[in-house]
PDB file of all heavy atoms in Angstrom:
ATOM      1  N   ASP J   1      94.505  71.535  93.316  1.00  0.00           N
ATOM      2  CA  ASP J   1      94.856  71.353  94.729  1.00  0.00           C
ATOM      3  C   ASP J   1      95.641  72.578  95.193  1.00  0.00           C
ATOM      4  O   ASP J   1      96.802  72.770  94.821  1.00  0.00           O
ATOM      5  CB  ASP J   1      95.694  70.082  94.888  1.00  0.00           C
ATOM      6  CG  ASP J   1      96.035  69.753  96.322  1.00  0.00           C
ATOM      7  OD1 ASP J   1      96.309  70.686  97.110  1.00  0.00           O
ATOM      8  OD2 ASP J   1      96.041  68.560  96.660  1.00  0.00           O
ATOM      9  N   ARG J   2      95.004  73.420  96.008  1.00  0.00           N
ATOM     10  CA  ARG J   2      95.623  74.685  96.423  1.00  0.00           C
ATOM     11  C   ARG J   2      96.937  74.491  97.172  1.00  0.00           C
ATOM     12  O   ARG J   2      97.873  75.258  96.995  1.00  0.00           O
ATOM     13  CB  ARG J   2      94.660  75.494  97.287  1.00  0.00           C
ATOM     14  CG  ARG J   2      93.527  76.067  96.512  1.00  0.00           C
ATOM     15  CD  ARG J   2      92.641  76.895  97.395  1.00  0.00           C
ATOM     16  NE  ARG J   2      91.499  77.360  96.641  1.00  0.00           N
ATOM     17  CZ  ARG J   2      90.880  78.484  96.888  1.00  0.00           C
ATOM     18  NH1 ARG J   2      91.253  79.246  97.893  1.00  0.00           N
ATOM     19  NH2 ARG J   2      89.858  78.843  96.152  1.00  0.00           N
ATOM     20  N   ALA J   3      97.009  73.469  98.015  1.00  0.00           N
ATOM     21  CA  ALA J   3      98.236  73.229  98.789  1.00  0.00           C
ATOM     22  C   ALA J   3      99.398  72.892  97.860  1.00  0.00           C
ATOM     23  O   ALA J   3     100.505  73.425  98.016  1.00  0.00           O
ATOM     24  CB  ALA J   3      98.019  72.111  99.804  1.00  0.00           C
ATOM     25  N   LEU J   4      99.155  72.030  96.884  1.00  0.00           N
ATOM     26  CA  LEU J   4     100.204  71.690  95.919  1.00  0.00           C
ATOM     27  C   LEU J   4     100.569  72.893  95.060  1.00  0.00           C
ATOM     28  O   LEU J   4     101.746  73.121  94.771  1.00  0.00           O
ATOM     29  CB  LEU J   4      99.752  70.545  95.013  1.00  0.00           C
ATOM     30  CG  LEU J   4      99.902  69.149  95.573  1.00  0.00           C
ATOM     31  CD1 LEU J   4      99.314  68.123  94.601  1.00  0.00           C
ATOM     32  CD2 LEU J   4     101.349  68.827  95.846  1.00  0.00           C
ATOM     33  N   LEU J   5      99.572  73.656  94.672  1.00  0.00           N
ATOM     34  CA  LEU J   5      99.806  74.844  93.853  1.00  0.00           C
ATOM     35  C   LEU J   5     100.768  75.785  94.568  1.00  0.00           C
ATOM     36  O   LEU J   5     101.727  76.286  93.977  1.00  0.00           O
ATOM     37  CB  LEU J   5      98.468  75.535  93.574  1.00  0.00           C
ATOM     38  CG  LEU J   5      98.386  76.493  92.410  1.00  0.00           C
ATOM     39  CD1 LEU J   5      98.630  75.786  91.093  1.00  0.00           C
ATOM     40  CD2 LEU J   5      97.028  77.170  92.394  1.00  0.00           C
ATOM     41  N   GLU J   6     100.542  75.999  95.845  1.00  0.00           N
ATOM     42  CA  GLU J   6     101.391  76.887  96.636  1.00  0.00           C
ATOM     43  C   GLU J   6     102.787  76.281  96.851  1.00  0.00           C
ATOM     44  O   GLU J   6     103.801  76.953  96.663  1.00  0.00           O
ATOM     45  CB  GLU J   6     100.734  77.165  97.987  1.00  0.00           C
ATOM     46  CG  GLU J   6     101.449  78.213  98.791  1.00  0.00           C
ATOM     47  CD  GLU J   6     100.726  78.562 100.074  1.00  0.00           C
ATOM     48  OE1 GLU J   6      99.481  78.650 100.055  1.00  0.00           O
ATOM     49  OE2 GLU J   6     101.425  78.744 101.089  1.00  0.00           O
ATOM     50  N   MET J   7     102.837  75.011  97.236  1.00  0.00           N
ATOM     51  CA  MET J   7     104.103  74.358  97.534  1.00  0.00           C
ATOM     52  C   MET J   7     105.011  74.273  96.297  1.00  0.00           C
ATOM     53  O   MET J   7     106.186  74.640  96.348  1.00  0.00           O
ATOM     54  CB  MET J   7     103.857  72.953  98.089  1.00  0.00           C
ATOM     55  CG  MET J   7     105.117  72.222  98.477  1.00  0.00           C
ATOM     56  SD  MET J   7     104.799  70.592  99.204  1.00  0.00           S
ATOM     57  CE  MET J   7     104.027  69.740  97.840  1.00  0.00           C
ATOM     58  N   ILE J   8     104.463  73.790  95.195  1.00  0.00           N
ATOM     59  CA  ILE J   8     105.253  73.655  93.965  1.00  0.00           C
ATOM     60  C   ILE J   8     105.645  75.033  93.434  1.00  0.00           C
ATOM     61  O   ILE J   8     106.765  75.237  92.956  1.00  0.00           O
ATOM     62  CB  ILE J   8     104.479  72.853  92.890  1.00  0.00           C
ATOM     63  CG1 ILE J   8     104.146  71.448  93.391  1.00  0.00           C
ATOM     64  CG2 ILE J   8     105.234  72.818  91.570  1.00  0.00           C
ATOM     65  CD1 ILE J   8     105.325  70.544  93.628  1.00  0.00           C
ATOM     66  N   GLY J   9     104.721  75.985  93.536  1.00  0.00           N
ATOM     67  CA  GLY J   9     105.018  77.360  93.107  1.00  0.00           C
ATOM     68  C   GLY J   9     106.197  77.943  93.864  1.00  0.00           C
ATOM     69  O   GLY J   9     107.116  78.531  93.273  1.00  0.00           O
ATOM     70  N   LYS J  10     106.208  77.783  95.184  1.00  0.00           N
ATOM     71  CA  LYS J  10     107.316  78.290  96.009  1.00  0.00           C
ATOM     72  C   LYS J  10     108.623  77.598  95.649  1.00  0.00           C
ATOM     73  O   LYS J  10     109.678  78.230  95.611  1.00  0.00           O
ATOM     74  CB  LYS J  10     107.011  78.094  97.490  1.00  0.00           C
ATOM     75  CG  LYS J  10     105.996  79.059  98.031  1.00  0.00           C
ATOM     76  CD  LYS J  10     105.761  78.806  99.512  1.00  0.00           C
ATOM     77  CE  LYS J  10     104.720  79.754 100.067  1.00  0.00           C
ATOM     78  NZ  LYS J  10     104.461  79.500 101.499  1.00  0.00           N
ATOM     79  N   PHE J  11     108.559  76.291  95.425  1.00  0.00           N
ATOM     80  CA  PHE J  11     109.748  75.525  95.067  1.00  0.00           C
ATOM     81  C   PHE J  11     110.415  76.100  93.808  1.00  0.00           C
ATOM     82  O   PHE J  11     111.620  76.355  93.781  1.00  0.00           O
ATOM     83  CB  PHE J  11     109.389  74.050  94.852  1.00  0.00           C
ATOM     84  CG  PHE J  11     110.521  73.220  94.338  1.00  0.00           C
ATOM     85  CD1 PHE J  11     111.511  72.765  95.191  1.00  0.00           C
ATOM     86  CD2 PHE J  11     110.590  72.888  92.989  1.00  0.00           C
ATOM     87  CE1 PHE J  11     112.568  71.994  94.711  1.00  0.00           C
ATOM     88  CE2 PHE J  11     111.634  72.116  92.508  1.00  0.00           C
ATOM     89  CZ  PHE J  11     112.630  71.681  93.369  1.00  0.00           C
ATOM     90  N   PHE J  12     109.629  76.309  92.762  1.00  0.00           N
ATOM     91  CA  PHE J  12     110.196  76.806  91.514  1.00  0.00           C
ATOM     92  C   PHE J  12     110.602  78.272  91.605  1.00  0.00           C
ATOM     93  O   PHE J  12     111.551  78.698  90.947  1.00  0.00           O
ATOM     94  CB  PHE J  12     109.243  76.559  90.343  1.00  0.00           C
ATOM     95  CG  PHE J  12     109.322  75.151  89.839  1.00  0.00           C
ATOM     96  CD1 PHE J  12     108.333  74.229  90.153  1.00  0.00           C
ATOM     97  CD2 PHE J  12     110.383  74.733  89.064  1.00  0.00           C
ATOM     98  CE1 PHE J  12     108.416  72.917  89.699  1.00  0.00           C
ATOM     99  CE2 PHE J  12     110.476  73.425  88.610  1.00  0.00           C
ATOM    100  CZ  PHE J  12     109.492  72.515  88.928  1.00  0.00           C
ATOM    101  N   LYS J  13     109.919  79.062  92.432  1.00  0.00           N
ATOM    102  CA  LYS J  13     110.346  80.452  92.636  1.00  0.00           C
ATOM    103  C   LYS J  13     111.730  80.495  93.273  1.00  0.00           C
ATOM    104  O   LYS J  13     112.553  81.342  92.926  1.00  0.00           O
ATOM    105  CB  LYS J  13     109.334  81.196  93.503  1.00  0.00           C
ATOM    106  CG  LYS J  13     108.096  81.603  92.750  1.00  0.00           C
ATOM    107  CD  LYS J  13     107.105  82.333  93.626  1.00  0.00           C
ATOM    108  CE  LYS J  13     105.853  82.625  92.816  1.00  0.00           C
ATOM    109  NZ  LYS J  13     104.806  83.268  93.631  1.00  0.00           N
ATOM    110  N   ARG J  14     111.998  79.571  94.192  1.00  0.00           N
ATOM    111  CA  ARG J  14     113.326  79.501  94.813  1.00  0.00           C
ATOM    112  C   ARG J  14     114.399  79.123  93.802  1.00  0.00           C
ATOM    113  O   ARG J  14     115.569  79.443  93.990  1.00  0.00           O
ATOM    114  CB  ARG J  14     113.332  78.504  95.975  1.00  0.00           C
ATOM    115  CG  ARG J  14     112.782  79.109  97.241  1.00  0.00           C
ATOM    116  CD  ARG J  14     113.017  78.201  98.440  1.00  0.00           C
ATOM    117  NE  ARG J  14     111.697  77.810  98.930  1.00  0.00           N
ATOM    118  CZ  ARG J  14     111.283  76.582  99.111  1.00  0.00           C
ATOM    119  NH1 ARG J  14     112.070  75.561  98.907  1.00  0.00           N
ATOM    120  NH2 ARG J  14     110.064  76.340  99.547  1.00  0.00           N
ATOM    121  N   LEU J  15     113.999  78.445  92.745  1.00  0.00           N
ATOM    122  CA  LEU J  15     114.941  78.087  91.674  1.00  0.00           C
ATOM    123  C   LEU J  15     115.026  79.180  90.611  1.00  0.00           C
ATOM    124  O   LEU J  15     115.588  78.973  89.537  1.00  0.00           O
ATOM    125  CB  LEU J  15     114.519  76.760  91.031  1.00  0.00           C
ATOM    126  CG  LEU J  15     114.596  75.536  91.940  1.00  0.00           C
ATOM    127  CD1 LEU J  15     114.054  74.306  91.218  1.00  0.00           C
ATOM    128  CD2 LEU J  15     116.020  75.288  92.404  1.00  0.00           C
ATOM    129  N   ASP J  16     114.440  80.336  90.909  1.00  0.00           N
ATOM    130  CA  ASP J  16     114.485  81.535  90.071  1.00  0.00           C
ATOM    131  C   ASP J  16     113.650  81.448  88.790  1.00  0.00           C
ATOM    132  O   ASP J  16     114.001  82.011  87.760  1.00  0.00           O
ATOM    133  CB  ASP J  16     115.930  81.919  89.729  1.00  0.00           C
ATOM    134  CG  ASP J  16     116.050  83.391  89.367  1.00  0.00           C
ATOM    135  OD1 ASP J  16     115.265  84.203  89.895  1.00  0.00           O
ATOM    136  OD2 ASP J  16     116.908  83.721  88.534  1.00  0.00           O
ATOM    137  N   TYR J  17     112.543  80.711  88.842  1.00  0.00           N
ATOM    138  CA  TYR J  17     111.583  80.716  87.735  1.00  0.00           C
ATOM    139  C   TYR J  17     110.548  81.808  87.988  1.00  0.00           C
ATOM    140  O   TYR J  17     110.223  82.124  89.135  1.00  0.00           O
ATOM    141  CB  TYR J  17     110.838  79.378  87.654  1.00  0.00           C
ATOM    142  CG  TYR J  17     111.664  78.260  87.086  1.00  0.00           C
ATOM    143  CD1 TYR J  17     112.508  77.509  87.899  1.00  0.00           C
ATOM    144  CD2 TYR J  17     111.589  77.931  85.738  1.00  0.00           C
ATOM    145  CE1 TYR J  17     113.268  76.472  87.378  1.00  0.00           C
ATOM    146  CE2 TYR J  17     112.342  76.893  85.207  1.00  0.00           C
ATOM    147  CZ  TYR J  17     113.180  76.175  86.037  1.00  0.00           C
ATOM    148  OH  TYR J  17     113.922  75.151  85.526  1.00  0.00           O
ATOM    149  N   ASN J  18     110.022  82.370  86.927  1.00  0.00           N
ATOM    150  CA  ASN J  18     108.881  83.273  87.010  1.00  0.00           C
ATOM    151  C   ASN J  18     107.644  82.372  86.980  1.00  0.00           C
ATOM    152  O   ASN J  18     107.262  81.875  85.931  1.00  0.00           O
ATOM    153  CB  ASN J  18     108.890  84.247  85.831  1.00  0.00           C
ATOM    154  CG  ASN J  18     107.688  85.156  85.810  1.00  0.00           C
ATOM    155  OD1 ASN J  18     106.874  85.165  86.727  1.00  0.00           O
ATOM    156  ND2 ASN J  18     107.571  85.915  84.739  1.00  0.00           N
ATOM    157  N   VAL J  19     107.033  82.143  88.135  1.00  0.00           N
ATOM    158  CA  VAL J  19     105.961  81.152  88.264  1.00  0.00           C
ATOM    159  C   VAL J  19     104.591  81.799  88.096  1.00  0.00           C
ATOM    160  O   VAL J  19     104.249  82.750  88.786  1.00  0.00           O
ATOM    161  CB  VAL J  19     106.048  80.429  89.627  1.00  0.00           C
ATOM    162  CG1 VAL J  19     104.908  79.428  89.775  1.00  0.00           C
ATOM    163  CG2 VAL J  19     107.385  79.736  89.792  1.00  0.00           C
ATOM    164  N   LEU J  20     103.821  81.242  87.177  1.00  0.00           N
ATOM    165  CA  LEU J  20     102.428  81.613  86.976  1.00  0.00           C
ATOM    166  C   LEU J  20     101.603  80.417  87.424  1.00  0.00           C
ATOM    167  O   LEU J  20     101.965  79.275  87.142  1.00  0.00           O
ATOM    168  CB  LEU J  20     102.158  81.896  85.492  1.00  0.00           C
ATOM    169  CG  LEU J  20     103.104  82.873  84.801  1.00  0.00           C
ATOM    170  CD1 LEU J  20     102.944  82.783  83.289  1.00  0.00           C
ATOM    171  CD2 LEU J  20     102.851  84.276  85.300  1.00  0.00           C
ATOM    172  N   THR J  21     100.495  80.654  88.123  1.00  0.00           N
ATOM    173  CA  THR J  21      99.676  79.539  88.590  1.00  0.00           C
ATOM    174  C   THR J  21      98.220  79.713  88.172  1.00  0.00           C
ATOM    175  O   THR J  21      97.742  80.833  88.002  1.00  0.00           O
ATOM    176  CB  THR J  21      99.737  79.391  90.129  1.00  0.00           C
ATOM    177  OG1 THR J  21      99.270  80.592  90.750  1.00  0.00           O
ATOM    178  CG2 THR J  21     101.141  79.068  90.597  1.00  0.00           C
ATOM    179  N   ALA J  22      97.552  78.580  88.027  1.00  0.00           N
ATOM    180  CA  ALA J  22      96.128  78.559  87.698  1.00  0.00           C
ATOM    181  C   ALA J  22      95.467  77.433  88.478  1.00  0.00           C
ATOM    182  O   ALA J  22      96.061  76.370  88.656  1.00  0.00           O
ATOM    183  CB  ALA J  22      95.923  78.357  86.203  1.00  0.00           C
ATOM    184  N   ARG J  23      94.244  77.658  88.937  1.00  0.00           N
ATOM    185  CA  ARG J  23      93.525  76.685  89.765  1.00  0.00           C
ATOM    186  C   ARG J  23      92.692  75.692  88.977  1.00  0.00           C
ATOM    187  O   ARG J  23      92.114  74.776  89.545  1.00  0.00           O
ATOM    188  CB  ARG J  23      92.636  77.413  90.767  1.00  0.00           C
ATOM    189  CG  ARG J  23      93.434  78.172  91.775  1.00  0.00           C
ATOM    190  CD  ARG J  23      92.532  78.807  92.787  1.00  0.00           C
ATOM    191  NE  ARG J  23      93.330  79.588  93.716  1.00  0.00           N
ATOM    192  CZ  ARG J  23      92.844  80.540  94.458  1.00  0.00           C
ATOM    193  NH1 ARG J  23      91.564  80.836  94.406  1.00  0.00           N
ATOM    194  NH2 ARG J  23      93.633  81.198  95.269  1.00  0.00           N
ATOM    195  N   ASP J  24      92.585  75.878  87.673  1.00  0.00           N
ATOM    196  CA  ASP J  24      91.870  74.908  86.838  1.00  0.00           C
ATOM    197  C   ASP J  24      92.326  75.056  85.393  1.00  0.00           C
ATOM    198  O   ASP J  24      93.037  76.000  85.051  1.00  0.00           O
ATOM    199  CB  ASP J  24      90.346  75.055  86.968  1.00  0.00           C
ATOM    200  CG  ASP J  24      89.811  76.412  86.543  1.00  0.00           C
ATOM    201  OD1 ASP J  24      90.234  76.923  85.486  1.00  0.00           O
ATOM    202  OD2 ASP J  24      88.967  76.973  87.266  1.00  0.00           O
ATOM    203  N   GLY J  25      91.926  74.111  84.574  1.00  0.00           N
ATOM    204  CA  GLY J  25      92.352  74.103  83.185  1.00  0.00           C
ATOM    205  C   GLY J  25      91.896  75.307  82.391  1.00  0.00           C
ATOM    206  O   GLY J  25      92.632  75.825  81.554  1.00  0.00           O
ATOM    207  N   GLU J  26      90.702  75.766  82.660  1.00  0.00           N
ATOM    208  CA  GLU J  26      90.173  76.924  81.942  1.00  0.00           C
ATOM    209  C   GLU J  26      91.015  78.171  82.205  1.00  0.00           C
ATOM    210  O   GLU J  26      91.413  78.882  81.291  1.00  0.00           O
ATOM    211  CB  GLU J  26      88.711  77.163  82.353  1.00  0.00           C
ATOM    212  CG  GLU J  26      88.016  78.231  81.563  1.00  0.00           C
ATOM    213  CD  GLU J  26      86.547  78.357  81.932  1.00  0.00           C
ATOM    214  OE1 GLU J  26      85.979  77.422  82.522  1.00  0.00           O
ATOM    215  OE2 GLU J  26      85.975  79.409  81.621  1.00  0.00           O
ATOM    216  N   GLU J  27      91.299  78.422  83.486  1.00  0.00           N
ATOM    217  CA  GLU J  27      92.140  79.559  83.864  1.00  0.00           C
ATOM    218  C   GLU J  27      93.558  79.377  83.288  1.00  0.00           C
ATOM    219  O   GLU J  27      94.171  80.329  82.814  1.00  0.00           O
ATOM    220  CB  GLU J  27      92.198  79.693  85.381  1.00  0.00           C
ATOM    221  CG  GLU J  27      93.033  80.855  85.868  1.00  0.00           C
ATOM    222  CD  GLU J  27      93.143  80.925  87.381  1.00  0.00           C
ATOM    223  OE1 GLU J  27      92.718  79.990  88.087  1.00  0.00           O
ATOM    224  OE2 GLU J  27      93.684  81.935  87.856  1.00  0.00           O
ATOM    225  N   GLY J  28      94.052  78.142  83.331  1.00  0.00           N
ATOM    226  CA  GLY J  28      95.383  77.856  82.807  1.00  0.00           C
ATOM    227  C   GLY J  28      95.507  78.161  81.327  1.00  0.00           C
ATOM    228  O   GLY J  28      96.520  78.718  80.881  1.00  0.00           O
ATOM    229  N   LEU J  29      94.487  77.816  80.554  1.00  0.00           N
ATOM    230  CA  LEU J  29      94.511  78.107  79.112  1.00  0.00           C
ATOM    231  C   LEU J  29      94.511  79.613  78.847  1.00  0.00           C
ATOM    232  O   LEU J  29      95.214  80.091  77.955  1.00  0.00           O
ATOM    233  CB  LEU J  29      93.328  77.446  78.416  1.00  0.00           C
ATOM    234  CG  LEU J  29      93.445  75.931  78.252  1.00  0.00           C
ATOM    235  CD1 LEU J  29      92.126  75.343  77.756  1.00  0.00           C
ATOM    236  CD2 LEU J  29      94.588  75.569  77.318  1.00  0.00           C
ATOM    237  N   LYS J  30      93.756  80.357  79.639  1.00  0.00           N
ATOM    238  CA  LYS J  30      93.736  81.822  79.481  1.00  0.00           C
ATOM    239  C   LYS J  30      95.119  82.408  79.755  1.00  0.00           C
ATOM    240  O   LYS J  30      95.613  83.251  79.002  1.00  0.00           O
ATOM    241  CB  LYS J  30      92.701  82.446  80.415  1.00  0.00           C
ATOM    242  CG  LYS J  30      91.279  82.200  79.985  1.00  0.00           C
ATOM    243  CD  LYS J  30      90.301  82.792  80.973  1.00  0.00           C
ATOM    244  CE  LYS J  30      88.878  82.420  80.596  1.00  0.00           C
ATOM    245  NZ  LYS J  30      87.898  82.899  81.590  1.00  0.00           N
ATOM    246  N   ILE J  31      95.740  81.942  80.846  1.00  0.00           N
ATOM    247  CA  ILE J  31      97.077  82.434  81.194  1.00  0.00           C
ATOM    248  C   ILE J  31      98.083  82.006  80.124  1.00  0.00           C
ATOM    249  O   ILE J  31      98.944  82.787  79.724  1.00  0.00           O
ATOM    250  CB  ILE J  31      97.506  81.931  82.591  1.00  0.00           C
ATOM    251  CG1 ILE J  31      96.617  82.579  83.656  1.00  0.00           C
ATOM    252  CG2 ILE J  31      98.979  82.226  82.853  1.00  0.00           C
ATOM    253  CD1 ILE J  31      96.798  82.012  85.055  1.00  0.00           C
ATOM    254  N   PHE J  32      97.964  80.785  79.643  1.00  0.00           N
ATOM    255  CA  PHE J  32      98.872  80.283  78.607  1.00  0.00           C
ATOM    256  C   PHE J  32      98.854  81.193  77.382  1.00  0.00           C
ATOM    257  O   PHE J  32      99.897  81.585  76.861  1.00  0.00           O
ATOM    258  CB  PHE J  32      98.488  78.857  78.212  1.00  0.00           C
ATOM    259  CG  PHE J  32      99.348  78.296  77.124  1.00  0.00           C
ATOM    260  CD1 PHE J  32     100.571  77.731  77.423  1.00  0.00           C
ATOM    261  CD2 PHE J  32      98.932  78.350  75.803  1.00  0.00           C
ATOM    262  CE1 PHE J  32     101.383  77.216  76.400  1.00  0.00           C
ATOM    263  CE2 PHE J  32      99.736  77.843  74.785  1.00  0.00           C
ATOM    264  CZ  PHE J  32     100.957  77.281  75.086  1.00  0.00           C
ATOM    265  N   HIS J  33      97.661  81.541  76.918  1.00  0.00           N
ATOM    266  CA  HIS J  33      97.548  82.365  75.718  1.00  0.00           C
ATOM    267  C   HIS J  33      97.978  83.812  75.966  1.00  0.00           C
ATOM    268  O   HIS J  33      98.516  84.461  75.064  1.00  0.00           O
ATOM    269  CB  HIS J  33      96.128  82.311  75.164  1.00  0.00           C
ATOM    270  CG  HIS J  33      95.783  80.972  74.584  1.00  0.00           C
ATOM    271  ND1 HIS J  33      96.377  80.466  73.452  1.00  0.00           N
ATOM    272  CD2 HIS J  33      94.931  80.011  75.007  1.00  0.00           C
ATOM    273  CE1 HIS J  33      95.907  79.271  73.184  1.00  0.00           C
ATOM    274  NE2 HIS J  33      95.030  78.960  74.117  1.00  0.00           N
ATOM    275  N   ALA J  34      97.780  84.304  77.182  1.00  0.00           N
ATOM    276  CA  ALA J  34      98.125  85.690  77.498  1.00  0.00           C
ATOM    277  C   ALA J  34      99.614  85.877  77.806  1.00  0.00           C
ATOM    278  O   ALA J  34     100.202  86.902  77.451  1.00  0.00           O
ATOM    279  CB  ALA J  34      97.293  86.179  78.687  1.00  0.00           C
ATOM    280  N   LYS J  35     100.226  84.902  78.468  1.00  0.00           N
ATOM    281  CA  LYS J  35     101.596  85.069  78.977  1.00  0.00           C
ATOM    282  C   LYS J  35     102.662  84.269  78.231  1.00  0.00           C
ATOM    283  O   LYS J  35     103.847  84.488  78.450  1.00  0.00           O
ATOM    284  CB  LYS J  35     101.657  84.699  80.463  1.00  0.00           C
ATOM    285  CG  LYS J  35     100.714  85.498  81.342  1.00  0.00           C
ATOM    286  CD  LYS J  35     101.157  86.928  81.447  1.00  0.00           C
ATOM    287  CE  LYS J  35     100.244  87.683  82.402  1.00  0.00           C
ATOM    288  NZ  LYS J  35     100.696  89.032  82.631  1.00  0.00           N
ATOM    289  N   ASN J  36     102.254  83.299  77.413  1.00  0.00           N
ATOM    290  CA  ASN J  36     103.186  82.512  76.605  1.00  0.00           C
ATOM    291  C   ASN J  36     104.338  81.924  77.446  1.00  0.00           C
ATOM    292  O   ASN J  36     105.505  82.259  77.221  1.00  0.00           O
ATOM    293  CB  ASN J  36     103.731  83.368  75.453  1.00  0.00           C
ATOM    294  CG  ASN J  36     104.428  82.546  74.403  1.00  0.00           C
ATOM    295  OD1 ASN J  36     104.119  81.373  74.222  1.00  0.00           O
ATOM    296  ND2 ASN J  36     105.370  83.150  73.721  1.00  0.00           N
ATOM    297  N   PRO J  37     104.027  81.034  78.398  1.00  0.00           N
ATOM    298  CA  PRO J  37     105.079  80.479  79.248  1.00  0.00           C
ATOM    299  C   PRO J  37     106.030  79.560  78.477  1.00  0.00           C
ATOM    300  O   PRO J  37     105.682  79.012  77.435  1.00  0.00           O
ATOM    301  CB  PRO J  37     104.297  79.683  80.300  1.00  0.00           C
ATOM    302  CG  PRO J  37     103.034  79.311  79.618  1.00  0.00           C
ATOM    303  CD  PRO J  37     102.720  80.467  78.696  1.00  0.00           C
TER     304      PRO J  37
END
């Protein structure tokens, strides 16, 4: 859900998190392995 992705992302950025986002599970797994959140 793009709207939630943007809204939740902004919320955590305001709390000083380094926010990484993905639009689906496949993309999320790639980011997980590359960035080690």
Side-chain angles (χ1 to χ4, degrees):
D1 184 322
R2 288 182 184 210
L4 278 176
L5 200 64
E6 188 175 320
M7 182 177 63
I8 300 294
K10 285 181 181 179
F11 174 79
F12 280 103
K13 283 180 184 177
R14 278 190 243 126
L15 295 176
D16 203 31
Y17 285 85
N18 177 6
V19 178
L20 309 166
T21 59
R23 293 183 183 160
D24 61 45
E26 187 176 341
E27 181 183 9
L29 286 171
K30 288 178 185 176
I31 293 171
F32 178 83
H33 291 293
K35 303 290 183 175
N36 194 27

